[in-house]
Amino acid sequence: GSCCTVKIHEPNEEKIGEVWIKGPNVMLGYYEDEEETDKAITDGWFHSGDLGYIDEEGYLFLTGRCKNLIITGNGKNVYPEEIEVLISNLEYVEECMVYGYARKEEDPLDLSIGAKIVYKTDVMKDNYNASDLDAAENVVKIDIEKINEMMPSYKQINKLVVTDEPMVKTTTGKVKRFEEAKNL
């Protein structure tokens, strides 16, 4: 077919790497922006910015975005999207963001996992009898502990920010991760 070829660039031991795509229907470059084009395309392979792997049957699975990947202090890869899905399943979560933070200022590469959770005040009040921030925080802490128990230590959430204030978002409603993380 006239479809495209997909390959995983520099896969790690879990076979996960950046998804590169080549084919007739793949973008040829950024209009009049050679520098961005060079960053995005190598020998006709388009760098998707998505991380993923291809299973034995040849199916492609996406695990997250390259720029969101957190590499922890012990060199483990953590895909924030994977943990965010678990947190989003909690009924009172309006939005959430998982990020890497440096445990010690003097060691900026020793990253641990943090989460910011924006809760729905009405659900907290009606279903958990939690009408202020402290009460809401306690509800969230218990649930995060349960999520942590299901995960290997390097994926566990060690820092928690709980708020009812919405996060900074783009015009399309995506959380601006880097702006958010700066303020944490």
Side-chain angles (χ1 to χ4, degrees):
S2 64
C3 185
C4 45
T5 313
V6 171
K7 77 171 179 182
I8 304 299
H9 180 66
E10 294 181 350
N12 64 12
E13 68 280 358
E14 292 163 359
K15 298 194 178 72
I16 294 172
E18 186 177 11
V19 178
W20 283 20
I21 307 163
K22 194 177 207 172
N25 50 357
V26 173
M27 142 181 144
L28 295 172
Y30 288 99
Y31 182 66
E32 290 182 349
D33 190 340
E34 203 173 327
E35 197 183 334
E36 280 305 307
T37 298
D38 288 346
K39 268 191 250 168
I41 296 173
T42 309
D43 297 333
W45 288 97
F46 172 68
H47 312 178
S48 70
D50 285 312
L51 290 160
Y53 64 92
I54 295 171
D55 74 359
E56 297 80 73
E57 290 169 33
Y59 289 104
L60 173 67
F61 290 87
L62 298 181
T63 51
R65 297 284 297 161
C66 292
K67 62 179 191 203
N68 299 341
L69 176 67
I70 302 161
I71 299 173
T72 62
N74 52 4
K76 298 281 193 187
N77 287 0
V78 177
Y79 306 99
E81 293 90 344
E82 184 190 343
I83 304 170
E84 285 165 358
V85 165
L86 297 174
I87 297 173
S88 301
N89 287 336
L90 302 168
E91 61 174 350
Y92 51 77
V93 173
E94 181 71 53
E95 48 188 5
C96 67
M97 181 182 87
V98 169
Y99 59 94
Y101 70 93
R103 276 185 267 227
K104 304 183 210 64
E105 226 171 285
E106 63 274 15
D107 193 357
L109 291 178
D110 182 11
L111 293 184
S112 195
I113 306 300
K116 179 175 180 179
I117 294 173
V118 180
Y119 67 90
K120 300 172 184 164
T121 47
D122 51 341
V123 178
M124 270 296 184
K125 209 176 187 156
D126 300 345
N127 300 6
Y128 298 87
N129 203 14
S131 49
D132 63 12
L133 182 60
D134 283 345
E137 238 174 20
N138 288 333
V139 173
V140 175
K141 273 186 185 137
I142 292 166
D143 284 331
I144 292 300
E145 274 169 28
K146 286 181 200 155
I147 288 175
N148 277 347
E149 279 167 20
M150 303 185 311
M151 294 201 282
S153 57
Y154 69 90
K155 283 186 188 173
Q156 289 176 7
I157 296 159
N158 296 306
K159 187 177 181 183
L160 196 53
V161 178
V162 177
T163 177
D164 57 0
E165 298 285 310
M167 294 199 218
V168 188
K169 286 190 269 307
T170 63
T171 47
T172 56
K174 289 201 172 80
V175 171
K176 291 190 176 179
R177 285 177 187 269
F178 292 102
E179 260 179 62
E180 274 296 338
K182 275 199 311 239
N183 305 326
L184 291 168

